[in-house]
Amino acid sequence: IINRLVNKLLIKLEEELSAILGLEWEVEYSFDDNAFDGWYFCIFKKKWLRNEQALYDFGLRIEGKKLNGFYFYAIRNTDVMKKPLNAVNQALNEQYKKGRKAVSDWWQYVDHDYRNWTHDETLVKLYRQEEMITYLIEQFIKIKTVIEPIIDEEVKKYSEIM
């Protein structure tokens, strides 16, 4: 049941977020009905693409296969952009939420009320969808607003190199 709920949520989230962001943005997700391993929902500006790969993206991921470990992230393509973008981490920490740094330039768990998709209350939100979608879109827009100018400027450097 949870797989169907999540798949339905992702389809609706992609549709609504794509409509809000417009044509210059790409919204993608990967979801395997059999497992949550490798699951992601990512957002990037089309001008951030090089050789059909995003130099930078942000979105939502799951920690391993645990349905209680959803987190927002902002990450560079480490094959191309070797150095972390400290400006992204600093800006998100100051203007959005204090996050953590690992492979991602920034990451932070989803708010408690939406993080654990095995809790009864959260399953109800998944089933009803409107509140969950509204929450996720609001968070994505906040992250986008903070990092977009930083990434736009950084991507220009790679346009000159490539």
Side-chain angles (χ1 to χ4, degrees):
I1 291 177
I2 193 164
N3 286 354
R4 285 190 304 223
L5 291 175
V6 171
N7 196 39
K8 186 176 172 187
L9 175 88
L10 293 174
I11 290 168
K12 189 159 177 60
L13 183 59
E14 179 191 27
E15 288 172 0
E16 290 191 25
L17 195 55
S18 293
I20 291 167
L21 293 175
L23 296 176
E24 66 178 357
W25 289 87
E26 194 71 41
V27 179
E28 296 180 353
Y29 68 91
S30 174
F31 178 71
D32 181 348
D33 282 339
N34 299 319
F36 281 86
D37 194 27
W39 182 99
Y40 69 86
F41 187 93
C42 73
I43 304 155
F44 56 89
K45 219 172 186 179
K46 290 179 182 175
K47 75 177 191 178
W48 297 351
L49 285 171
R50 297 297 177 274
N51 300 322
E52 298 183 18
Q53 289 190 328
L55 293 179
Y56 213 94
D57 69 84
F58 63 98
L60 181 69
R61 288 190 179 163
I62 186 172
E63 201 171 40
K65 295 181 184 181
K66 298 185 285 184
L67 296 178
N68 64 352
F70 287 88
Y71 63 94
F72 295 110
Y73 72 90
I75 191 169
R76 70 200 179 283
N77 180 331
T78 55
D79 291 337
V80 179
M81 301 172 78
K82 303 294 183 193
K83 294 181 183 177
L85 290 181
N86 293 324
V88 167
N89 184 281
Q90 183 178 350
L92 285 168
N93 284 341
E94 292 172 3
Q95 299 172 44
Y96 175 60
K97 291 182 183 179
K98 179 86 172 121
R100 299 169 182 156
K101 209 172 179 181
V103 174
S104 300
D105 288 335
W106 177 92
W107 70 274
Q108 181 54 270
Y109 284 114
V110 169
D111 289 340
H112 181 68
D113 289 348
Y114 304 92
R115 183 182 316 154
N116 189 336
W117 293 11
T118 62
H119 282 172
D120 293 344
E121 300 86 19
T122 311
L123 282 170
V124 170
K125 290 173 186 170
L126 273 173
Y127 176 75
R128 293 185 179 152
Q129 295 201 347
E130 188 173 326
E131 180 184 342
M132 179 75 79
I133 287 172
T134 299
Y135 165 77
L136 291 171
I137 287 175
E138 286 173 357
Q139 304 315 301
F140 290 142
I141 297 300
K142 288 175 184 177
I143 294 168
K144 171 204 162 297
T145 301
V146 172
I147 70 170
E148 181 180 10
I150 299 167
I151 304 306
D152 281 349
E153 195 58 37
E154 190 66 24
V155 165
K156 284 181 192 175
K157 297 175 189 175
Y158 288 88
S159 298
E160 295 163 5
I161 295 170
M162 299 178 106

